[in-house]
């Protein structure tokens, strides 16, 4: 079997081997995310920069394989997830390219988008994650915004604001701002800082309310009806409520 055929089987198949492959990719992404969060507290360390380069090359190889296996390589190359991966790779290789690219570190956590995309391909159609898909997606978006905003606050304030001495200070400020707690013990400096604080409150509160809405709304299962295409169904649905087709939604044995 040619390499390209093997890649297509792994990325686009529907057998157990494909499932294990996507789970392995998701595990790699999650491990990468944990490292990226931890490494933000040790910027400039030679060991961290070496690991950045290794992870960056690994993601680049996976990205090339994904594009090669795609039915439409051009479309895959310009997809949001591919663009996010390119930005992540650039940020990981920033120490090699020079300090002028260091600002790209704030976009590292966009890798979360790809991690959950891969995970969605491996989950059972009617399992826990399928029933709570909207809540998980909303929580993922909020987490991305939280950590990226923390990095923006740190990068923009650390040289001009002695109240932002490290990522912990920036994280604390971001959380208290987007939850509108606002203790006032840390404030951002300058007009740009005030505009950033306003953006954190507006966007952060919107994402937080979206998460609450997703968590409190009745649970639905995402399962595309083969006839009419309706995706949202009740957890215990037997027939599609639009066209009446029997759905046969997988579950975990619950009635």
């Amino acid at each position: 079997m040619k390499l390209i055929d093997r890649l297509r089987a792994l990325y686009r198949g529907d057998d157990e081997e494909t499932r294990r492959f996507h789970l392995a990719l998701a595990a790699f992404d999650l491990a990468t995310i944990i490292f990226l969060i931890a490494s933000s507290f040790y910027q400039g360390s030679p060991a961290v920069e070496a690991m950045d380069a290794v992870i960056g090359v690994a993601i680049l190889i996976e990205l090339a394989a994904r594009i090669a296996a795609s039915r439409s390589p051009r479309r895959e190359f310009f997809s949001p997830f591919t663009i996010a991966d390119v930005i992540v790779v650039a940020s990981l290789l920033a120490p090699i390219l020079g300090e002028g690219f260091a600002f790209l570190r704030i976009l590292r956590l966009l890798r979360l988008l790809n991690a959950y995309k891969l995970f969605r391909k491996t989950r059972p159609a009617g399992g826990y994650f399928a029933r709570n898909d909207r809540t998980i997606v909303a929580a993922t978006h909020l987490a991305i915004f939280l950590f990226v905003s923390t990095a923006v606050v740190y990068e923009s304030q650390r040289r001009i604001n002695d109240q932002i001495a490290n990522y912990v200070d920036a994280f604390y400020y971001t959380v208290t701002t987007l939850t509108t707690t606002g203790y006032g013990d840390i404030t951002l400096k300058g007009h740009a800082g005030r505009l950033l604080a306003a953006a954190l409150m507006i966007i952060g509160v919107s994402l937080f309310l979206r998460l609450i809405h997703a968590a409190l709304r009745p649970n639905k299962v995402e399962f595309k009806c083969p006839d009419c295409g309706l995706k949202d169904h009740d957890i215990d649905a037997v027939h599609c409520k639009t066209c009446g087709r029997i759905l046969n939604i997988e579950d975990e044995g619950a009635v």
Side-chain angles (χ1 to χ4, degrees):
M1 180 182 292
K2 295 181 180 179
L3 177 60
I4 189 67
D5 294 330
R6 178 63 174 165
L7 289 174
R8 286 171 178 168
L10 288 173
Y11 276 95
R12 292 158 43 185
D14 56 3
D15 56 10
E16 184 61 26
E17 184 179 24
T18 300
R19 173 182 166 83
R20 289 197 299 267
F21 176 71
H22 283 297
L23 281 174
L25 287 179
F28 168 74
D29 282 343
L30 291 176
T32 300
I33 291 164
I34 293 172
F35 169 77
L36 296 180
I37 293 173
S39 67
S40 66
F41 295 93
Y42 303 96
Q43 287 192 12
S45 167
V48 169
E49 291 184 358
M51 281 300 300
D52 281 352
V54 171
I55 293 174
V57 171
I59 295 175
L60 189 60
I61 293 173
E62 190 276 326
L63 175 60
R66 191 193 327 149
I67 293 174
S70 174
R71 291 186 179 90
S72 175
R74 179 182 176 85
R75 182 177 180 181
E76 180 67 28
F77 182 80
F78 289 103
S79 73
F81 291 105
T82 299
I83 294 173
D85 277 348
V86 170
I87 294 173
V88 170
V89 169
S91 72
L92 288 166
L93 299 180
I96 296 176
L97 299 175
E99 287 299 320
F101 291 86
F103 71 95
L104 290 172
R105 291 175 181 271
I106 65 175
L107 298 174
R108 282 178 165 186
L109 289 162
L110 290 176
R111 191 69 182 170
L112 278 169
L113 295 172
N114 194 56
Y116 189 65
K117 177 190 175 185
L118 290 175
F119 179 76
R120 293 175 84 176
K121 292 182 178 180
T122 65
R123 70 186 185 195
Y128 171 83
F129 290 99
R131 293 196 303 270
N132 297 278
D133 182 72
R134 285 186 174 84
T135 303
I136 296 172
V137 170
T140 302
H141 290 168
L142 181 60
I144 292 171
F145 178 78
L146 174 62
F147 286 106
V148 170
S149 297
T150 296
V152 172
V153 169
Y154 177 72
E155 292 291 343
S156 64
Q157 293 286 309
R158 63 190 178 97
R159 294 182 180 86
I160 62 174
N161 192 343
D162 56 7
Q163 294 178 321
I164 306 291
N166 50 53
Y167 268 77
V168 174
D169 293 336
F171 181 78
Y172 167 78
Y173 172 81
T174 303
V175 171
T176 57
T177 299
L178 70 84
T179 58
T180 68
T181 304
Y183 292 114
D185 51 340
I186 297 179
T187 57
L188 302 188
K189 305 294 185 182
H191 295 301
R194 293 186 178 92
L195 290 174
L196 177 57
L200 287 177
M201 286 184 281
I202 294 172
I203 301 174
V205 169
S206 299
L207 291 174
F208 190 67
L209 291 176
R210 180 187 175 193
L211 173 59
I212 294 175
H213 174 73
L216 295 180
R217 67 177 295 176
N219 284 338
K220 297 285 186 178
V221 174
E222 183 176 324
F223 182 87
K224 185 175 181 179
C225 174
D227 287 349
C228 69
L230 182 68
K231 289 186 177 181
D232 289 338
H233 303 278
D234 294 331
I235 294 176
D236 57 351
V238 176
H239 299 85
C240 175
K241 62 183 178 182
T242 299
C243 67
R245 180 189 172 99
I246 296 178
L247 296 174
N248 295 319
I249 300 175
E250 297 178 16
D251 59 27
E252 298 169 325
V255 178

